[in-house]
Amino acid sequence: MRRILPALTGAALFAAAGLTVLATPHAASAADCTPAQVVANGGFESGSSPWTAPSGAITADSGQSAHSGNSYAWLDGTGSTHTDTLSQSVTLPTGCGAATLGFWLHVDTAETTTSTAYDTLAVKLGTTTVATYSNLDAQDGYVHKTVDASAFAGQTVTLSFTGTEDSSLQTSFVLDDITLDASGGTTPPQPGDPTRTPAAPAYTVNLTSDASGGSWTGHESVTFTNASPTALNEVYLRLWDNAHGSCPSTPITVTNVTGGTPAPLSVNCTALKVTLPAPLAQGQSGTVGFDLGITVPSGADRFGHDGAYNFLGNALPVLAIRDAAGWHLDPYTNNGESFYSVASDFTVTLDHPTSLLVPATGTSVDTPGAAGRTVTKATASKVRDFAWGAGPFTRISGTSAAGVKVNVYSVAGISAADAKSMLSTATSAVDAHAQRFGAYPYGELDAVIDNNFWFGGMEYPGFVLDLVSTTALTHEIAHQWWYGIVGDDEYNAPWLDEAFTDYATDLAQGKTGNGCWNNVSWASSAEKITNSMAYWDANSSRYSTVVYGYGKCALHDLRRTIGDTAMTTLLRSYAQAHWYGVSTTAEFKAASQAATTVDLTSFWSQHRIDG
């Protein structure tokens, strides 16, 4: 959590998470891929260029509605024999082994058949049809579609959408927010610790809320694989938000566990050991399920409610990590973060009153539920956690120049002008960070704004909590890379997400950090940038100054030491090599040394960066 301490102000309050690139053959290969989103003007907010489309097809006409912003592409809908084609040329960068085409599609039809595709939409890359839809796909509202386009890596092809109608009964194919993301592909191995497990968790969650959105009940399950050569006899679930209650009276309850035998809660009720029925050898998988209850406490916190507005950060139990150091069962910290998790997949279904908006991690699709209720299904791939909110928020939306959909959800009391300013900040920041470190991979980004947040801001994948603050929001969005995409052990190495994020914030805001290291003054010989949260919880007044401020200044100093070009290349390559992975201080130091002929031994000592 990005905490604001009363004695501190300005950029020193906000910071970043960093990760590392090893000078290995794999790292070099990963760096050959520069992740990118290659569709231009995918939200159609900049007119028709560079699209080729029939006159009037790209429109803000009230006959249909945009998925975000004002404009969209409307193909067909004439009710007579007709063909419309929307297209643009796209180039997928070389070296990237994976590519995903994504778009929002609304199909509106007058056809009544439930079995015959009279009117069709063909999606092509070059001459290859990669997806087809028809009048049989009609639905209320937009649905997000994704298509694997990895086979076209390194190619320049024409992306086209061709709608074809027969002689009667109209079908409209309405498109918006089209993206084509290229990335490095599979998660790179983590050479620093091949024992890290459980791996590749996949969470499935179904929850139903009460009328307020402050109480949720349902079921969660997680499937995982043992990646370690050492057998896996048990797993631990972290129930982080039980730190907000009194053990054993807890706001998060887990009952009816299947797939293993639960032990009593430990670590102040934030850890639940589940002994597996039989040890899992390397490569074997298991599943643990349980009934889940969540009660949101009062307070404008990352887990709490501010009046009618509920914030559910860290509310879902997630698997702890076992690595070379053993099981990570660190205590919860309110001063920063304790979270350490691997990239996971989440499918979360949230049944709630229609009067409540539910921003969430991942890409969300709403469908009607029972009377007066809506079912929000959020899917997220390769994320470290899942968070959501529930309340009568005011929402405004836009699309960044690079095609990222951004939603700003405001509580009562946030002016329309401030919400619009935060939307502008978010769309600019997400593109600025993506240009430096690699394309934003999480589809859409939700920012929830409440000036009562005592902590300033907090990041989750695709979901941030923040005040009305340009610097703070730019910082929290940088965490999508430094903690989200490139992970770290936030309890034992908090500088790897805070110092790097504050450095990225400076870069996005054009700040050079000139002379900032000159203001460093250590409180004791034990004080180091790389200290753990155990140290900072005991010395909380120094946490932000050292981890955020000194950490950021150390990275500015590193840039001056090795040169701007080398630093730019280092951080981008570093992110690519650990894309969806986990990094350590030792790996970052090795990557830095590999990027320069300057001996950095004295640099690390001077800047108190150990590891």
Side-chain angles (χ1 to χ4, degrees):
M1 183 182 248
R2 313 312 156 200
R3 299 292 181 175
I4 289 182
L5 301 177
L8 299 174
T9 59
L13 298 173
F14 308 98
L19 298 141
T20 73
V21 168
L22 290 180
T24 64
H26 180 89
S29 174
D32 291 340
C33 170
T34 301
Q37 196 292 109
V38 300
V39 171
N41 190 25
F44 307 107
E45 300 302 314
S46 302
S48 60
S49 179
W51 294 99
T52 299
S55 176
I58 295 174
T59 181
D61 188 276
S62 61
Q64 296 286 345
S65 59
H67 175 252
S68 68
N70 298 309
S71 300
Y72 57 91
W74 185 353
L75 306 183
D76 297 333
T78 67
S80 59
T81 303
H82 188 81
T83 299
D84 282 336
T85 297
L86 171 76
S87 66
Q88 78 167 254
S89 177
V90 294
T91 301
L92 283 84
T94 58
C96 294
T100 302
L101 172 66
F103 53 92
W104 290 85
L105 173 66
H106 168 54
V107 181
D108 174 348
T109 189
E111 301 283 2
T112 59
T113 178
T114 59
S115 59
T116 305
Y118 290 115
D119 309 315
T120 60
L121 176 72
V123 184
K124 291 185 176 182
L125 285 165
T127 59
T128 303
T129 300
V130 295
T132 57
Y133 306 94
S134 74
N135 50 279
L136 300 178
D137 295 298
Q139 73 285 305
D140 293 330
Y142 281 89
V143 175
H144 192 239
K145 305 292 186 181
T146 58
V147 178
D148 183 3
S150 301
F152 300 89
Q155 299 181 34
T156 297
V157 294
T158 297
L159 166 65
S160 65
F161 299 83
T162 298
T164 304
E165 284 183 291
D166 70 356
S167 58
S168 65
L169 298 178
Q170 75 86 24
T171 298
S172 297
F173 299 102
V174 188
L175 295 153
D176 202 358
D177 295 331
I178 301 169
T179 58
L180 181 52
D181 291 303
S183 65
T186 58
T187 303
Q190 295 302 296
D193 193 352
T195 68
R196 190 176 290 120
T197 199
Y203 296 87
T204 302
V205 184
N206 291 274
L207 297 173
T208 300
S209 83
D210 65 357
S212 72
S215 178
W216 298 79
T217 56
H219 191 266
E220 176 177 342
S221 66
V222 55
T223 298
F224 52 88
T225 300
N226 180 22
S228 169
T230 303
L232 192 64
N233 299 302
E234 71 278 327
V235 295
Y236 283 85
L237 293 167
R238 296 312 307 260
L239 285 62
W240 287 116
D241 282 339
N242 280 349
H244 294 266
S246 299
C247 183
S249 266
T250 59
I252 309 297
T253 58
V254 166
T255 56
N256 300 323
V257 175
T258 59
T261 303
L265 290 169
S266 61
V267 195
N268 194 30
C269 287
T270 66
L272 177 65
K273 179 181 178 180
V274 179
T275 301
L276 301 176
L280 296 179
Q282 188 173 28
Q284 290 186 322
S285 299
T287 300
V288 169
F290 47 89
D291 292 334
L292 177 64
I294 301 170
T295 302
V296 180
S298 179
D301 210 331
R302 52 187 173 188
F303 179 59
H305 70 84
D306 183 9
Y309 302 93
N310 298 278
F311 315 107
L312 294 102
N314 307 110
L316 295 182
V318 295
L319 291 172
I321 289 177
R322 188 189 75 187
D323 59 20
W327 283 106
H328 283 258
L329 302 176
D330 300 303
Y332 180 92
T333 176
N334 211 30
N335 195 31
E337 289 82 40
S338 302
F339 317 128
Y340 175 26
S341 54
V342 297
S344 310
D345 294 340
F346 285 83
T347 301
V348 180
T349 303
L350 302 168
D351 185 323
H352 58 89
T354 302
S355 59
L356 305 180
L357 295 183
V358 179
T361 292
T363 300
S364 295
V365 175
D366 289 346
T367 57
R373 298 186 68 86
T374 295
V375 176
T376 298
K377 183 176 182 180
T379 55
S381 177
K382 304 299 183 188
V383 297
R384 299 183 192 279
D385 205 341
F386 185 97
W388 75 100
F393 298 102
T394 298
R395 177 179 58 200
I396 60 173
S397 301
T399 304
S400 76
V404 178
K405 181 184 178 184
V406 178
N407 304 300
V408 169
Y409 293 82
S410 302
V411 304
I414 302 296
S415 70
D418 280 345
K420 186 175 180 181
S421 173
M422 291 299 92
L423 179 61
S424 176
T425 294
T427 54
S428 297
V430 73
D431 283 356
H433 298 318
Q435 287 170 4
R436 289 185 174 89
F437 310 123
Y440 179 77
Y442 295 137
E444 62 187 46
L445 173 64
D446 293 342
V448 180
I449 309 299
D450 185 341
N451 277 333
N452 291 329
F453 288 143
W454 69 268
F455 50 85
M458 178 66 195
E459 76 287 348
Y460 295 96
F463 178 97
V464 300
L465 306 173
D466 220 323
L467 309 169
V468 175
S469 167
T470 298
T471 298
L473 187 55
T474 302
H475 171 97
E476 301 308 331
I477 292 172
H479 272 303
Q480 300 302 309
W481 284 264
W482 306 120
Y483 144 80
I485 296 167
V486 183
D488 66 294
D489 179 347
E490 292 187 300
Y491 187 86
N492 289 297
W495 90 289
L496 284 175
D497 58 284
E498 293 305 347
F500 283 71
T501 291
D502 238 20
Y503 178 76
T505 301
D506 273 6
L507 295 181
Q509 295 188 323
K511 299 176 182 177
T512 64
N514 285 338
C516 69
W517 188 257
N518 298 335
N519 298 319
V520 167
S521 177
W522 302 105
S524 73
S525 60
E527 189 170 83
K528 299 175 182 178
I529 289 173
T530 48
N531 282 349
S532 75
M533 287 309 305
Y535 178 88
W536 299 119
D537 281 345
N539 299 272
S540 60
S541 67
R542 296 288 293 168
Y543 169 60
S544 184
T545 298
V546 177
V547 174
Y548 290 64
Y550 295 0
K552 170 185 68 176
C553 290
L555 292 173
H556 280 299
D557 250 18
L558 180 61
R559 173 173 52 83
R560 283 185 281 271
T561 299
I562 68 175
D564 289 354
T565 299
M567 187 68 167
T568 299
T569 301
L570 166 65
L571 288 183
R572 189 176 188 91
S573 299
Y574 167 71
Q576 313 290 305
H578 287 77
W579 204 259
Y580 302 137
V582 173
S583 184
T584 67
T585 298
E587 291 173 342
F588 175 67
K589 289 170 68 174
S592 300
Q593 186 60 76
T596 182
T597 57
V598 178
D599 186 345
L600 296 176
T601 303
S602 62
F603 178 93
W604 305 124
S605 177
Q606 177 195 355
H607 293 80
R608 298 198 184 188
I609 296 173
D610 290 353

